[in-house]
Amino acid sequence: MSAAAPLVPSYASGTSDVPLLGDTIGDNFDRVAAAQPDAEALVEVPTGRRWTYGTLREDVDTVALGLLAAGLGKGDRIGIWAPNVAEWTLVQYATAKIGAILVNINPAYRTHELEFVLNQAGISVLVAATSFKTSDYAGMIEQVRPRCEALRTVILIGTPDWDEMVAAGRQGDRAELARLQAQLSPDDPINIQYTSGTTGFPKGATLSHHNILNNGYFVGRLCGYTPDDRVCIPVPFYHCFGMVMGNLGCTTNGATMVIPGPGFDPKATLTAVAQERCTSLYGVPTMFIAELNDPEFDSYGLSSLRTGIMAGSPCPVEVMKQVVDRMGMTEVTICYGMTETSPVSTQTRADDSLERRVSTVGRVHPHVEVKIVDPDTGLTLPRGEPGELCTRGYSVMLGYWDEPEKTAEAIDRARWMHTGDLGVMDGDGYVNITGRIKDMVIRGGENIYPREIEEFLYTHPDILDAQVIGVPDARYGEELCAWVTLREGAPELTAEGVREFATGKLAHYKIPRYVLVVEEFPMTVTGKVRKVEMREKSVELLDLGDAAAMRNA
């Protein structure tokens, strides 16, 4: 009797005849700008400001020299706290040219989170907007500044601070800038992005030129970008989706970056696509849902759209189909990744069948490896069996800033990044994400670790204990639900009461939508809280069965 055929392991490597880029972000940008100086590089729709690659390079160099004049140099950390404005992009490329490490600060952060990031990264210069929506950035900065010893300079965009920095840059020596740029290595750290931490505080994923330059380049290539493409970027720059897949995806391929507004607005986004004849549109599922549901959707001229990217949260199958049918994005792709991997590890291709593109997160990226392993043994599982998705390659971060122990927990000795996500790889190498080993919640593209919210809830005078879980939501993919036990004699607690307590202290997306007051939590025999059971019960108690039944990629 013949032996059974060996099972194919859940492992795939992204072979490619296109080599990795071996230069720094500044050198790559200069090369593209020199090749097409008159091509449009950046459009800020709300203000009407436009840059060609030639004028953008000139302004980037000016800002770089201005930051040098402000005392920044290679390895220094510079924070940026602003919504999507052209100055964000200028600072992104300017810091790359002088080797300063850009620290992205979430525009939704409040004082508690701002102070932590300023101190943890040792930020010496902070570039910020004066305000955005209900956030008074200038006021919050003044509030925390006395407790942030490293912070010596604050440059507010749109004020004399910014104008003075630019004026100093105009007086700078461009030959000196070129000399400093030539001393940088592609492997130098250039960006820190904070991800919510399981210990209650965010961790700073530290990324190199090589990490993010190449990831942006290959994301753009798989979307088929050329200098004729115009990419509408309503996703935030502070996140990899905006600054890597958006900005670097464009500049490495010579395409045009289009900023539809400082924050997401469906009408502004659709207007920008129509007005600027965009060929590509980015978004998390909630953004596409809002655009498709705009009452005047049919009045926008979207015939220029060809492709785009949906990522950041599980992508509902029906939404993907509408994006293809009603928006004309016949070559739309889904990307899967995480901040720690620059971010993309898998992506669907334009020539994949519609079924593949709406029900999987695609195949492994060029020059990247992925595998599905048994979480307990670490051994690679056969295709078709669920396990933890791991990824390895040029895209894996250098580590968490100043946290070697946390780095070692995430990246093993063979340099595999353990994502904490559960996935299945089929016979053709397509990956489907089925859940998460850790209890991270992804709400509208924002990664939230319940432990951080739980530790905050413990500071409420009436809360004895708190457990936070994600529950299904038709709009955001997931919403936060807090289970709390109250101190004896405490008054009744409502979701509104928790919201009032958290407003101004926590970012809005970290405030639980639902609060369930209970006598006790479901526990295992060893005393561990059973969050799976809590989730199932919450779906029942909150009547979320329809949201739970939605199909996602």
Side-chain angles (χ1 to χ4, degrees):
M1 192 169 73
S2 62
L7 295 170
V8 178
S10 293
Y11 168 87
S13 62
T15 54
S16 177
D17 57 2
V18 179
L20 287 165
L21 300 172
D23 44 10
T24 63
I25 292 168
D27 287 348
N28 179 268
F29 176 70
D30 286 350
R31 187 174 297 112
V32 173
Q36 49 178 63
D38 299 325
E40 199 157 55
L42 177 64
V43 179
E44 188 181 63
V45 175
T47 63
R49 293 187 292 173
R50 294 174 184 272
W51 286 261
T52 63
Y53 269 91
T55 57
L56 185 62
R57 178 183 178 181
E58 196 173 305
D59 284 358
V60 164
D61 285 356
T62 297
V63 172
L65 287 164
L67 294 174
L68 281 174
L72 277 171
K74 180 180 176 180
D76 290 332
R77 273 79 68 206
I78 172 173
I80 184 156
W81 195 28
N84 285 19
V85 290
E87 286 81 4
W88 211 111
T89 304
L90 293 173
V91 171
Q92 177 184 347
Y93 288 86
T95 50
K97 284 199 161 211
I98 63 174
I101 300 172
L102 184 69
V103 183
N104 302 4
I105 303 175
N106 189 328
Y109 271 5
R110 314 307 293 180
T111 51
H112 174 73
E113 297 137 319
L114 173 66
E115 182 180 336
F116 172 79
V117 167
L118 288 171
N119 284 322
Q120 205 276 332
I123 291 170
S124 57
V125 174
L126 175 62
V127 175
T130 54
S131 62
F132 177 55
K133 294 184 178 176
T134 59
S135 295
D136 174 10
Y137 291 158
M140 284 191 273
I141 292 165
E142 285 309 305
Q143 196 177 330
V144 304
R145 196 169 182 174
R147 300 188 295 277
C148 300
E149 291 181 12
L151 183 62
R152 52 181 173 75
T153 305
V154 175
I155 300 169
L156 296 176
I157 296 167
T159 72
D161 300 343
W162 177 267
D163 297 339
E164 287 166 17
M165 185 269 291
V166 169
R170 289 201 182 104
Q171 304 302 313
D173 181 356
R174 295 193 179 228
E176 173 66 5
L177 176 61
R179 187 186 68 79
L180 291 172
Q181 195 174 321
Q183 295 177 351
L184 304 179
S185 162
D187 296 320
D188 290 337
I190 201 63
N191 183 218
I192 297 175
Q193 300 201 25
Y194 278 86
T195 65
S196 289
T198 50
T199 56
F201 288 105
K203 294 173 291 192
T206 307
L207 303 166
S208 67
H209 295 265
H210 193 65
N211 287 151
I212 59 177
L213 180 73
N214 277 290
N215 206 257
Y217 176 58
F218 281 100
V219 165
R221 281 191 63 87
L222 292 188
C223 288
Y225 289 163
T226 72
D228 293 329
D229 279 291
R230 301 170 69 78
V231 184
C232 185
I233 311 172
V235 293
F237 286 156
Y238 83 85
H239 192 277
C240 272
F241 204 167
M243 70 162 283
V244 179
M245 298 157 70
N247 289 349
L248 286 167
C250 286
T251 60
T252 52
N253 291 286
T256 307
M257 301 167 277
V258 177
I259 303 173
F264 174 66
D265 176 83
K267 288 186 185 296
T269 302
L270 292 166
T271 299
V273 169
Q275 178 183 307
E276 294 298 325
R277 306 296 296 156
C278 292
T279 58
S280 177
L281 173 61
Y282 287 5
V284 299
T286 52
M287 293 181 176
F288 284 105
I289 291 168
E291 289 153 11
L292 289 161
N293 288 337
D294 186 289
E296 298 168 9
F297 177 83
D298 292 329
S299 69
Y300 296 97
L302 306 180
S303 60
S304 58
L305 281 176
R306 167 183 69 80
T307 186
I309 296 173
M310 195 187 293
S313 277
C315 302
V317 172
E318 291 308 311
V319 176
M320 272 294 284
K321 288 178 177 174
Q322 285 193 54
V323 165
V324 172
D325 294 340
R326 296 180 60 204
M327 302 182 91
M329 293 168 59
T330 54
E331 298 174 29
V332 66
T333 72
I334 283 182
C335 291
Y336 163 81
M338 59 194 305
T339 304
E340 290 89 337
T341 55
S342 302
V344 176
S345 294
T346 70
Q347 185 172 352
T348 58
R349 273 62 163 177
D351 58 356
D352 285 336
S353 69
L354 181 63
E355 181 57 30
R356 295 282 202 198
R357 284 190 287 136
V358 300
S359 62
T360 77
V361 293
R363 289 170 287 155
V364 65
H365 234 235
H367 302 287
V368 171
E369 298 169 273
V370 295
K371 64 178 180 178
I372 308 288
V373 304
D374 182 316
D376 295 323
T377 66
L379 294 175
T380 305
L381 293 164
R383 293 198 179 190
E385 287 193 25
E388 183 179 18
L389 178 65
C390 297
T391 182
R392 179 168 70 176
Y394 77 84
S395 56
V396 175
M397 66 173 179
L398 299 177
Y400 292 118
W401 182 260
D402 205 22
E403 294 200 85
E405 289 179 7
K406 297 292 178 197
T407 303
E409 288 172 14
I411 303 172
D412 66 26
R413 287 183 299 175
R415 290 291 296 169
W416 284 99
M417 177 77 206
H418 289 252
T419 67
D421 286 324
L422 287 168
V424 180
M425 184 184 294
D426 72 13
D428 296 319
Y430 288 85
V431 175
N432 186 263
I433 302 299
T434 57
R436 286 180 295 282
I437 296 169
K438 302 165 189 171
D439 58 359
M440 183 176 76
V441 177
I442 303 181
R443 179 194 180 277
E446 298 282 4
N447 291 355
I448 307 168
Y449 281 91
R451 178 73 183 274
E452 183 181 358
I453 318 304
E454 290 161 2
E455 293 203 2
F456 174 78
L457 290 175
Y458 292 147
T459 67
H460 190 291
D462 298 329
I463 292 177
L464 183 66
D465 199 358
Q467 295 291 330
V468 174
I469 56 169
V471 293
D473 183 78
R475 185 178 179 195
Y476 290 106
E478 286 185 292
E479 272 284 7
L480 290 179
C481 175
W483 285 41
V484 299
T485 58
L486 299 181
R487 298 185 190 282
E488 197 172 333
E492 187 181 350
L493 187 67
T494 63
E496 188 57 40
V498 170
R499 198 170 294 119
E500 285 175 11
F501 179 74
T503 298
K505 298 171 188 168
L506 278 184
H508 67 88
Y509 64 87
K510 295 180 183 176
I511 299 174
R513 179 173 177 182
Y514 306 106
V515 175
L516 296 173
V517 178
V518 297
E519 294 294 322
E520 58 185 10
F521 306 125
M523 311 282 269
T524 66
V525 290
T526 56
K528 289 184 179 177
V529 175
R530 285 184 50 79
K531 289 200 168 183
V532 173
E533 189 179 322
M534 287 170 59
R535 180 183 168 93
E536 291 168 357
K537 212 161 190 176
S538 298
V539 169
E540 186 184 321
L541 291 170
L542 300 169
D543 195 20
L544 301 175
D546 288 349
M550 288 181 69
R551 281 181 66 207
N552 294 306

Short mmCIF file of all heavy atoms in Angstrom, two decimals, residues 423-472:
data_model
loop_
_atom_site.label_atom_id
_atom_site.label_comp_id
_atom_site.label_asym_id
_atom_site.label_seq_id
_atom_site.Cartn_x
_atom_site.Cartn_y
_atom_site.Cartn_z
N GLY A 423 -5.09 32.57 11.72
CA GLY A 423 -5.34 32.55 10.29
C GLY A 423 -5.31 31.13 9.74
O GLY A 423 -4.86 30.19 10.40
N VAL A 424 -5.80 31.02 8.51
CA VAL A 424 -5.77 29.75 7.77
C VAL A 424 -5.21 30.04 6.38
O VAL A 424 -5.59 31.05 5.76
CB VAL A 424 -7.19 29.14 7.63
CG1 VAL A 424 -7.12 27.83 6.85
CG2 VAL A 424 -7.82 28.92 8.98
N MET A 425 -4.31 29.18 5.91
CA MET A 425 -3.77 29.31 4.55
C MET A 425 -4.32 28.18 3.70
O MET A 425 -4.23 27.01 4.08
CB MET A 425 -2.24 29.26 4.57
CG MET A 425 -1.58 29.48 3.21
SD MET A 425 0.23 29.29 3.27
CE MET A 425 0.71 30.66 4.31
N ASP A 426 -4.89 28.52 2.55
CA ASP A 426 -5.46 27.46 1.71
C ASP A 426 -4.39 26.87 0.79
O ASP A 426 -3.22 27.26 0.82
CB ASP A 426 -6.69 27.96 0.93
CG ASP A 426 -6.36 28.94 -0.20
OD1 ASP A 426 -5.16 29.08 -0.58
OD2 ASP A 426 -7.30 29.55 -0.73
N GLY A 427 -4.80 25.92 -0.04
CA GLY A 427 -3.86 25.20 -0.90
C GLY A 427 -3.12 26.07 -1.88
O GLY A 427 -2.03 25.73 -2.34
N ASP A 428 -3.71 27.23 -2.23
CA ASP A 428 -3.06 28.15 -3.18
C ASP A 428 -2.32 29.28 -2.49
O ASP A 428 -1.85 30.21 -3.16
CB ASP A 428 -4.12 28.73 -4.13
CG ASP A 428 -4.76 27.65 -5.00
OD1 ASP A 428 -4.02 26.77 -5.48
OD2 ASP A 428 -5.99 27.70 -5.18
N GLY A 429 -2.23 29.24 -1.18
CA GLY A 429 -1.46 30.25 -0.44
C GLY A 429 -2.25 31.47 -0.02
O GLY A 429 -1.69 32.42 0.53
N TYR A 430 -3.56 31.47 -0.25
CA TYR A 430 -4.39 32.60 0.19
C TYR A 430 -4.67 32.47 1.69
O TYR A 430 -4.91 31.37 2.19
CB TYR A 430 -5.71 32.65 -0.59
CG TYR A 430 -5.52 33.08 -2.02
CD1 TYR A 430 -5.18 32.16 -3.00
CD2 TYR A 430 -5.65 34.42 -2.38
CE1 TYR A 430 -4.99 32.54 -4.32
CE2 TYR A 430 -5.47 34.82 -3.71
CZ TYR A 430 -5.13 33.88 -4.67
OH TYR A 430 -4.94 34.27 -5.97
N VAL A 431 -4.65 33.61 2.37
CA VAL A 431 -4.80 33.62 3.83
C VAL A 431 -6.15 34.22 4.21
O VAL A 431 -6.61 35.20 3.62
CB VAL A 431 -3.66 34.43 4.49
CG1 VAL A 431 -3.88 34.56 6.00
CG2 VAL A 431 -2.31 33.78 4.21
N ASN A 432 -6.77 33.61 5.22
CA ASN A 432 -8.00 34.15 5.79
C ASN A 432 -7.76 34.35 7.28
O ASN A 432 -7.23 33.46 7.94
CB ASN A 432 -9.16 33.17 5.55
CG ASN A 432 -10.49 33.73 5.99
OD1 ASN A 432 -10.95 33.46 7.08
ND2 ASN A 432 -11.10 34.52 5.13
N ILE A 433 -8.09 35.55 7.79
CA ILE A 433 -7.92 35.83 9.21
C ILE A 433 -9.20 35.44 9.93
O ILE A 433 -10.28 35.95 9.60
CB ILE A 433 -7.59 37.32 9.45
CG1 ILE A 433 -6.32 37.72 8.67
CG2 ILE A 433 -7.42 37.60 10.95
CD1 ILE A 433 -5.07 36.96 9.06
N THR A 434 -9.09 34.56 10.92
CA THR A 434 -10.28 34.01 11.57
C THR A 434 -10.51 34.53 12.98
O THR A 434 -11.56 34.30 13.56
CB THR A 434 -10.19 32.48 11.62
OG1 THR A 434 -8.97 32.10 12.30
CG2 THR A 434 -10.16 31.89 10.21
N GLY A 435 -9.54 35.23 13.54
CA GLY A 435 -9.71 35.73 14.90
C GLY A 435 -8.37 36.15 15.48
O GLY A 435 -7.40 36.31 14.74
N ARG A 436 -8.33 36.33 16.81
CA ARG A 436 -7.08 36.75 17.44
C ARG A 436 -6.81 35.92 18.69
O ARG A 436 -7.73 35.62 19.45
CB ARG A 436 -7.15 38.24 17.80
CG ARG A 436 -7.02 39.12 16.58
CD ARG A 436 -7.07 40.59 16.94
NE ARG A 436 -8.36 40.98 17.49
CZ ARG A 436 -9.45 41.20 16.76
NH1 ARG A 436 -9.40 41.04 15.45
NH2 ARG A 436 -10.58 41.57 17.32
N ILE A 437 -5.55 35.56 18.84
CA ILE A 437 -5.17 34.81 20.03
C ILE A 437 -5.27 35.75 21.23
O ILE A 437 -5.88 35.46 22.24
CB ILE A 437 -3.73 34.26 19.90
CG1 ILE A 437 -3.68 33.26 18.75
CG2 ILE A 437 -3.28 33.61 21.20
CD1 ILE A 437 -2.29 32.85 18.37
N LYS A 438 -4.69 36.90 21.09
CA LYS A 438 -4.78 37.91 22.13
C LYS A 438 -6.16 38.55 22.00
O LYS A 438 -6.85 38.36 21.01
CB LYS A 438 -3.68 38.94 21.96
CG LYS A 438 -2.28 38.33 22.00
CD LYS A 438 -1.26 39.31 21.47
CE LYS A 438 0.10 38.64 21.31
NZ LYS A 438 1.06 39.49 20.60
N ASP A 439 -6.55 39.32 22.94
CA ASP A 439 -7.90 39.86 22.91
C ASP A 439 -7.95 41.28 22.35
O ASP A 439 -8.83 42.06 22.68
CB ASP A 439 -8.53 39.81 24.31
CG ASP A 439 -7.70 40.58 25.35
OD1 ASP A 439 -6.64 41.12 24.98
OD2 ASP A 439 -8.12 40.63 26.51
N MET A 440 -6.99 41.62 21.50
CA MET A 440 -6.98 42.94 20.89
C MET A 440 -8.29 43.20 20.15
O MET A 440 -8.83 42.31 19.50
CB MET A 440 -5.81 43.06 19.91
CG MET A 440 -5.68 44.43 19.27
SD MET A 440 -4.22 44.52 18.22
CE MET A 440 -4.78 43.60 16.79
N VAL A 441 -8.77 44.41 20.24
CA VAL A 441 -9.99 44.81 19.55
C VAL A 441 -9.59 45.75 18.41
O VAL A 441 -8.77 46.65 18.60
CB VAL A 441 -10.96 45.54 20.51
CG1 VAL A 441 -12.20 46.03 19.79
CG2 VAL A 441 -11.35 44.61 21.67
N ILE A 442 -10.16 45.53 17.23
CA ILE A 442 -9.91 46.45 16.10
C ILE A 442 -11.21 47.18 15.81
O ILE A 442 -12.15 46.59 15.30
CB ILE A 442 -9.40 45.72 14.85
CG1 ILE A 442 -8.14 44.92 15.16
CG2 ILE A 442 -9.14 46.71 13.73
CD1 ILE A 442 -7.55 44.18 13.98
N ARG A 443 -11.25 48.45 16.18
CA ARG A 443 -12.46 49.26 15.99
C ARG A 443 -12.20 50.28 14.89
O ARG A 443 -11.44 51.22 15.06
CB ARG A 443 -12.82 49.98 17.28
CG ARG A 443 -14.06 50.87 17.18
CD ARG A 443 -14.17 51.81 18.37
NE ARG A 443 -15.34 52.67 18.27
CZ ARG A 443 -15.39 53.80 17.58
NH1 ARG A 443 -14.34 54.22 16.89
NH2 ARG A 443 -16.50 54.54 17.55
N GLY A 444 -12.82 50.07 13.74
CA GLY A 444 -12.68 51.04 12.64
C GLY A 444 -11.23 51.28 12.25
O GLY A 444 -10.86 52.39 11.89
N GLY A 445 -10.39 50.24 12.32
CA GLY A 445 -8.99 50.39 11.94
C GLY A 445 -8.06 50.74 13.08
O GLY A 445 -6.85 50.74 12.92
N GLU A 446 -8.61 51.07 14.26
CA GLU A 446 -7.79 51.40 15.43
C GLU A 446 -7.57 50.14 16.26
O GLU A 446 -8.52 49.46 16.64
CB GLU A 446 -8.49 52.45 16.31
CG GLU A 446 -8.72 53.78 15.63
CD GLU A 446 -7.46 54.62 15.56
OE1 GLU A 446 -6.40 54.13 15.97
OE2 GLU A 446 -7.55 55.76 15.09
N ASN A 447 -6.30 49.82 16.55
CA ASN A 447 -5.98 48.69 17.42
C ASN A 447 -6.13 49.11 18.88
O ASN A 447 -5.48 50.07 19.31
CB ASN A 447 -4.56 48.20 17.17
CG ASN A 447 -4.41 47.57 15.81
OD1 ASN A 447 -5.38 47.41 15.08
ND2 ASN A 447 -3.21 47.20 15.45
N ILE A 448 -6.93 48.39 19.63
CA ILE A 448 -7.16 48.73 21.04
C ILE A 448 -6.90 47.48 21.87
O ILE A 448 -7.45 46.41 21.60
CB ILE A 448 -8.61 49.21 21.28
CG1 ILE A 448 -8.98 50.34 20.31
CG2 ILE A 448 -8.79 49.65 22.72
CD1 ILE A 448 -10.45 50.66 20.28
N TYR A 449 -6.07 47.63 22.91
CA TYR A 449 -5.84 46.52 23.82
C TYR A 449 -6.67 46.75 25.07
O TYR A 449 -6.52 47.76 25.76
CB TYR A 449 -4.36 46.41 24.19
CG TYR A 449 -3.55 45.74 23.11
CD1 TYR A 449 -2.96 46.49 22.11
CD2 TYR A 449 -3.41 44.36 23.08
CE1 TYR A 449 -2.23 45.88 21.10
CE2 TYR A 449 -2.68 43.73 22.07
CZ TYR A 449 -2.10 44.50 21.10
OH TYR A 449 -1.38 43.88 20.09
N PRO A 450 -7.59 45.81 25.37
CA PRO A 450 -8.50 46.00 26.50
C PRO A 450 -7.79 46.31 27.82
O PRO A 450 -8.32 47.06 28.63
CB PRO A 450 -9.23 44.64 26.57
CG PRO A 450 -9.27 44.19 25.15
CD PRO A 450 -7.93 44.59 24.58
N ARG A 451 -6.60 45.74 28.02
CA ARG A 451 -5.91 45.96 29.31
C ARG A 451 -5.73 47.45 29.60
O ARG A 451 -5.86 47.90 30.73
CB ARG A 451 -4.55 45.24 29.27
CG ARG A 451 -3.69 45.40 30.51
CD ARG A 451 -4.23 44.59 31.70
NE ARG A 451 -3.41 44.83 32.87
CZ ARG A 451 -2.28 44.16 33.14
NH1 ARG A 451 -1.87 43.21 32.33
NH2 ARG A 451 -1.60 44.43 34.24
N GLU A 452 -5.42 48.21 28.57
CA GLU A 452 -5.21 49.66 28.74
C GLU A 452 -6.50 50.33 29.24
O GLU A 452 -6.46 51.18 30.13
CB GLU A 452 -4.77 50.27 27.41
CG GLU A 452 -4.46 51.75 27.49
CD GLU A 452 -4.05 52.34 26.15
OE1 GLU A 452 -3.98 51.60 25.16
OE2 GLU A 452 -3.81 53.56 26.09
N ILE A 453 -7.64 49.92 28.67
CA ILE A 453 -8.92 50.50 29.06
C ILE A 453 -9.30 50.02 30.46
O ILE A 453 -9.80 50.79 31.28
CB ILE A 453 -10.04 50.12 28.06
CG1 ILE A 453 -9.55 50.19 26.60
CG2 ILE A 453 -11.27 50.99 28.27
CD1 ILE A 453 -8.99 51.51 26.18
N GLU A 454 -9.01 48.75 30.74
CA GLU A 454 -9.32 48.19 32.06
C GLU A 454 -8.57 48.94 33.16
O GLU A 454 -9.15 49.30 34.19
CB GLU A 454 -8.97 46.70 32.09
CG GLU A 454 -9.89 45.84 31.25
CD GLU A 454 -9.34 44.48 30.90
OE1 GLU A 454 -8.20 44.16 31.34
OE2 GLU A 454 -10.01 43.74 30.17
N GLU A 455 -7.29 49.21 32.92
CA GLU A 455 -6.50 49.90 33.94
C GLU A 455 -7.03 51.31 34.17
O GLU A 455 -7.00 51.83 35.28
CB GLU A 455 -5.03 49.91 33.54
CG GLU A 455 -4.43 48.52 33.56
CD GLU A 455 -2.92 48.51 33.72
OE1 GLU A 455 -2.34 49.59 33.85
OE2 GLU A 455 -2.36 47.41 33.72
N PHE A 456 -7.52 51.93 33.11
CA PHE A 456 -8.11 53.26 33.27
C PHE A 456 -9.41 53.18 34.07
O PHE A 456 -9.66 54.00 34.96
CB PHE A 456 -8.38 53.90 31.90
CG PHE A 456 -9.12 55.19 32.00
CD1 PHE A 456 -8.46 56.36 32.36
CD2 PHE A 456 -10.49 55.25 31.78
CE1 PHE A 456 -9.15 57.56 32.48
CE2 PHE A 456 -11.18 56.44 31.90
CZ PHE A 456 -10.51 57.60 32.26
N LEU A 457 -10.24 52.18 33.75
CA LEU A 457 -11.52 52.04 34.46
C LEU A 457 -11.33 51.79 35.95
O LEU A 457 -12.17 52.16 36.77
CB LEU A 457 -12.36 50.94 33.83
CG LEU A 457 -12.91 51.22 32.43
CD1 LEU A 457 -13.64 50.00 31.86
CD2 LEU A 457 -13.85 52.43 32.44
N TYR A 458 -10.20 51.18 36.31
CA TYR A 458 -9.93 50.95 37.73
C TYR A 458 -9.81 52.27 38.50
O TYR A 458 -9.93 52.29 39.72
CB TYR A 458 -8.64 50.14 37.92
CG TYR A 458 -8.70 48.72 37.45
CD1 TYR A 458 -7.59 48.08 36.91
CD2 TYR A 458 -9.88 47.97 37.55
CE1 TYR A 458 -7.64 46.77 36.47
CE2 TYR A 458 -9.94 46.66 37.12
CZ TYR A 458 -8.82 46.06 36.58
OH TYR A 458 -8.88 44.76 36.15
N THR A 459 -9.55 53.36 37.81
CA THR A 459 -9.41 54.66 38.49
C THR A 459 -10.77 55.28 38.79
O THR A 459 -10.85 56.31 39.46
CB THR A 459 -8.58 55.65 37.64
OG1 THR A 459 -9.31 55.99 36.44
CG2 THR A 459 -7.23 55.07 37.26
N HIS A 460 -11.86 54.70 38.28
CA HIS A 460 -13.21 55.20 38.56
C HIS A 460 -13.56 54.86 40.02
O HIS A 460 -13.40 53.71 40.44
CB HIS A 460 -14.23 54.56 37.60
CG HIS A 460 -15.59 55.19 37.65
ND1 HIS A 460 -16.42 55.08 38.74
CD2 HIS A 460 -16.26 55.94 36.74
CE1 HIS A 460 -17.55 55.72 38.51
NE2 HIS A 460 -17.48 56.26 37.29
N PRO A 461 -14.01 55.84 40.78
CA PRO A 461 -14.22 55.60 42.22
C PRO A 461 -15.25 54.51 42.54
O PRO A 461 -15.21 53.91 43.62
CB PRO A 461 -14.70 56.96 42.74
CG PRO A 461 -15.18 57.71 41.53
CD PRO A 461 -14.34 57.22 40.41
N ASP A 462 -16.19 54.23 41.62
CA ASP A 462 -17.24 53.25 41.91
C ASP A 462 -16.96 51.86 41.35
O ASP A 462 -17.70 50.91 41.63
CB ASP A 462 -18.58 53.75 41.34
CG ASP A 462 -19.03 55.05 41.99
OD1 ASP A 462 -18.70 55.27 43.18
OD2 ASP A 462 -19.68 55.85 41.30
N ILE A 463 -15.92 51.73 40.51
CA ILE A 463 -15.66 50.45 39.86
C ILE A 463 -14.67 49.61 40.67
O ILE A 463 -13.57 50.06 40.99
CB ILE A 463 -15.14 50.66 38.42
CG1 ILE A 463 -16.26 51.25 37.54
CG2 ILE A 463 -14.64 49.35 37.81
CD1 ILE A 463 -15.85 51.59 36.12
N LEU A 464 -15.11 48.39 41.00
CA LEU A 464 -14.26 47.48 41.75
C LEU A 464 -13.35 46.70 40.81
O LEU A 464 -12.15 46.55 41.04
CB LEU A 464 -15.15 46.52 42.55
CG LEU A 464 -14.44 45.52 43.46
CD1 LEU A 464 -13.72 46.26 44.58
CD2 LEU A 464 -15.46 44.54 44.04
N ASP A 465 -13.93 46.18 39.72
CA ASP A 465 -13.15 45.40 38.75
C ASP A 465 -13.75 45.64 37.37
O ASP A 465 -14.94 45.96 37.24
CB ASP A 465 -13.20 43.91 39.10
CG ASP A 465 -12.07 43.13 38.45
OD1 ASP A 465 -11.28 43.74 37.68
OD2 ASP A 465 -11.97 41.92 38.67
N ALA A 466 -12.92 45.49 36.34
CA ALA A 466 -13.40 45.74 34.97
C ALA A 466 -12.74 44.77 34.01
O ALA A 466 -11.55 44.45 34.14
CB ALA A 466 -13.07 47.18 34.56
N GLN A 467 -13.52 44.31 33.05
CA GLN A 467 -13.01 43.49 31.96
C GLN A 467 -13.59 44.07 30.67
O GLN A 467 -14.80 44.32 30.59
CB GLN A 467 -13.43 42.03 32.12
CG GLN A 467 -12.84 41.34 33.33
CD GLN A 467 -11.35 41.11 33.21
OE1 GLN A 467 -10.83 40.95 32.10
NE2 GLN A 467 -10.64 41.13 34.33
N VAL A 468 -12.72 44.26 29.68
CA VAL A 468 -13.16 44.89 28.42
C VAL A 468 -12.98 43.89 27.28
O VAL A 468 -11.95 43.23 27.17
CB VAL A 468 -12.37 46.18 28.15
CG1 VAL A 468 -12.70 46.75 26.77
CG2 VAL A 468 -12.67 47.21 29.24
N ILE A 469 -13.99 43.78 26.44
CA ILE A 469 -13.96 42.88 25.29
C ILE A 469 -14.43 43.63 24.05
O ILE A 469 -14.98 44.73 24.13
CB ILE A 469 -14.86 41.65 25.51
CG1 ILE A 469 -16.30 42.10 25.81
CG2 ILE A 469 -14.31 40.75 26.59
CD1 ILE A 469 -17.32 40.98 25.79
N GLY A 470 -14.19 43.01 22.90
CA GLY A 470 -14.73 43.54 21.65
C GLY A 470 -16.01 42.79 21.32
O GLY A 470 -16.08 41.58 21.49
N VAL A 471 -17.02 43.52 20.89
CA VAL A 471 -18.26 42.89 20.44
C VAL A 471 -18.50 43.32 18.99
O VAL A 471 -18.06 44.39 18.57
CB VAL A 471 -19.47 43.27 21.34
CG1 VAL A 471 -19.29 42.69 22.72
CG2 VAL A 471 -19.66 44.78 21.40
N PRO A 472 -19.19 42.49 18.20
CA PRO A 472 -19.36 42.80 16.78
C PRO A 472 -20.18 44.08 16.56
O PRO A 472 -21.10 44.37 17.31
CB PRO A 472 -20.08 41.57 16.22
CG PRO A 472 -20.61 40.83 17.40
CD PRO A 472 -19.77 41.19 18.57
#
